[in-house]
Amino acid sequence: MSFTAIKEYANDVLTPFISEETQEFHYGKHHMGYASMLNKLVDGTQYAELTLRQLIRLQDQLPDQKIWNNAAQVFNHDFYWKSLSKAETVPSKELSDAINASFGNMENFKASYIETASTMFGSGWSWLICSENSLSIVNTQNANIPAEKKLLVIDLWEHAYYIDYRNDRRTYIENIVGNCLNWNFASENFA
Ligand SMILES: [Fe+2]
């Protein structure tokens, strides 16, 4: 078995918010690079037989931190591409209720996501998570993954936005939150 980088749509699907060129590099070089490095690291070991989630759960028991880093980055990027959609999607009734209960309304949720993601220092990820039916937004450094139920993620590594937005990370975040969140995926994760 080998690990693969999953993105189920073409590189030009998220234009103009994320360009085809960004996806060529982000998916084709970075995401696939993590998968190919992971395969190299586990080739011929017991870890090659595990699923990605099983491998990630082993964390500290892995012989080499590099295995976890690459496995987590494959998982995070798979999750990121699924979190994005240019087609208009809406949260399920249940998720919509949870958003209203946790943030007041959708506009407040969006403002909160933009603010939290914008405060991230360095490389990492900004997640919408759910714990005991309460939603919140958390940032994680590097490849780290929240333990809670994950609904959506935005990649905040420079390679996610630098071709399109240069140093203007905030506009990248605003465009994703305003136009590209996949509420079908979030609703499935929430259910
Ligand atoms: Fe990335």
Side-chain angles (χ1 to χ4, degrees):
M1 192 174 85
S2 68
F3 297 99
T4 52
I6 300 167
K7 179 166 75 72
E8 292 165 333
Y9 44 83
N11 287 337
D12 62 353
V13 162
L14 297 168
T15 55
F17 309 112
I18 297 176
S19 69
E20 185 170 8
E21 186 185 3
T22 288
Q23 287 209 46
E24 278 165 16
F25 280 86
H26 197 176
Y27 175 67
K29 304 290 180 194
H30 294 275
H31 190 184
M32 289 179 82
Y34 292 123
S36 110
M37 178 57 74
L38 176 60
N39 286 321
K40 227 175 265 174
L41 290 166
V42 301
D43 185 38
T45 73
Q46 58 183 301
Y47 305 110
E49 306 309 316
L50 302 180
T51 66
L52 194 57
R53 280 172 186 268
Q54 287 170 331
L55 193 53
I56 287 166
R57 271 198 295 268
L58 288 178
Q59 196 142 15
D60 296 339
Q61 299 162 50
L62 291 167
D64 184 345
Q65 175 74 29
K66 276 193 292 213
I67 297 175
W68 191 85
N69 289 345
N70 283 280
Q73 284 294 77
V74 173
F75 175 86
N76 293 344
H77 283 89
D78 290 351
F79 206 92
Y80 171 63
W81 299 123
K82 288 184 180 136
S83 294
L84 305 179
S85 166
K86 214 172 76 178
E88 200 167 330
T89 58
V90 291
S92 65
K93 170 77 169 69
E94 294 74 19
L95 179 53
S96 181
D97 289 346
I99 288 168
N100 293 339
S102 301
F103 298 97
N105 56 48
M106 180 56 96
E107 284 316 300
N108 287 350
F109 157 75
K110 286 182 178 177
S112 179
Y113 205 174
I114 290 165
E115 280 317 308
T116 302
S118 297
T119 63
M120 177 76 189
F121 184 75
S123 296
W125 302 84
S126 191
W127 306 81
L128 174 63
I129 59 167
C130 175
S131 180
E132 290 170 6
N133 249 28
S134 171
L135 304 184
S136 54
I137 295 153
V138 294
N139 297 336
T140 58
Q141 291 281 342
N142 301 322
N144 289 325
I145 305 170
E148 296 84 356
K149 187 196 278 189
K150 294 160 277 293
L151 308 188
L152 293 168
V153 74
I154 301 175
D155 190 339
L156 296 177
W157 285 57
E158 272 187 359
H159 63 230
Y161 60 87
Y162 216 82
I163 291 170
D164 298 332
Y165 298 90
R166 302 297 174 190
N167 58 322
D168 187 8
R169 188 178 66 175
R170 190 184 174 97
T171 301
Y172 157 72
I173 294 166
E174 285 173 354
N175 276 342
I176 298 298
V177 172
N179 305 287
C180 299
L181 294 181
N182 184 349
W183 289 109
N184 293 342
F185 180 59
S187 300
E188 284 165 24
N189 293 328
F190 182 70

